[in-house]
């Protein structure tokens, strides 16, 4: 139920944001904005919020969401609409989405238990590597021994 609530919040906020940017400023139809929002919302939630965010920081996940939003908005708008200013439109919309995603990640870290630990920081998962140190790893020449070895 938490995922449904988070996905619904993300979809509605993204729809309003993208309609303001793409619909009002760049003249894209509501149906095209709705399609872009649906595809972007589901893809960004799975990749950015459930895969990248738990394994990295908020800034890295936001940068990944910016890149994903730019590519998806540019690709889908080139298919759905006929326009000559697709790059500027995609950059403006991706910047708006990235700003929203930064705030949405903070919401997820506070409210989703699997994405945060008791301190409110990001769970790094199994990405912490340790080195092993033992005496067997140091080379010993047979002619240089201590008195205890004899």
């Amino acid at each position: 139920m938490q995922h449904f609530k988070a996905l619904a919040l993300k979809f509605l906020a993204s729809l309003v944001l993208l309609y303001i940017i793409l619909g009002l400023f760049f003249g894209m139809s509501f149906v095209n904005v709705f399609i872009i929002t649906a595809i972007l919302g589901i893809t960004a939630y799975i990749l950015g919020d459930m895969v990248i965010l738990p394994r990295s920081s908020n800034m890295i996940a936001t940068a990944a969401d910016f890149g994903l939003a730019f590519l998806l908005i540019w690709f889908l708008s080139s298919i759905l609409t006929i326009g000559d200013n697709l790059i500027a439109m995609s950059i403006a919309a991706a910047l708006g989405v990235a700003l929203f995603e930064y705030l949405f990640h903070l919401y997820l870290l506070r409210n989703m238990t699997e994405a945060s630990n008791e301190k409110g920081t990001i769970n790094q998962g199994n990405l912490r590597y340790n080195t092993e140190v033992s005496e067997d790893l140091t080379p010993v020449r047979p002619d240089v021994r201590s008195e205890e070895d004899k």
Side-chain angles (χ1 to χ4, degrees), residues 48-149:
D49 301 337
M50 295 295 115
V51 175
I52 297 173
L53 181 62
R55 291 174 174 83
S56 65
S57 68
N58 189 2
M59 291 304 291
I60 292 173
T62 302
D65 283 333
F66 172 78
L68 178 68
F70 172 74
L71 290 175
L72 277 176
I73 292 169
W74 174 74
F75 178 71
L76 291 173
S77 62
S78 68
I79 292 173
L80 297 172
T81 62
I82 299 172
D84 57 349
N85 203 5
L86 296 179
I87 299 293
M89 176 176 61
S90 300
I91 289 174
L95 283 172
V97 168
L99 179 64
F100 165 72
E101 286 289 336
Y102 180 79
L103 300 173
F104 184 70
H105 292 160
L106 295 176
Y107 166 78
L108 285 180
L109 290 173
R110 265 188 251 119
N111 296 321
M112 300 289 281
T113 57
E114 63 259 14
S116 65
N117 59 19
E118 53 278 341
K119 295 178 186 172
T121 59
I122 299 169
N123 182 9
Q124 294 292 326
N126 293 329
L127 298 177
R128 294 183 182 172
Y129 299 109
N130 292 322
T131 58
E132 181 179 331
V133 179
S134 68
E135 294 178 16
D136 297 339
L137 296 177
T138 58
V140 176
R141 295 190 330 213
D143 59 337
V144 182
R145 301 240 175 187
S146 65
E147 294 295 325
E148 297 172 6
D149 293 339

Side-chain angles (χ1 to χ4, degrees), residues 14 20 28 35 49 78 93 147:
S14 296
I20 290 171
M28 189 180 286
I35 292 169
D49 301 337
S78 68
E147 294 295 325

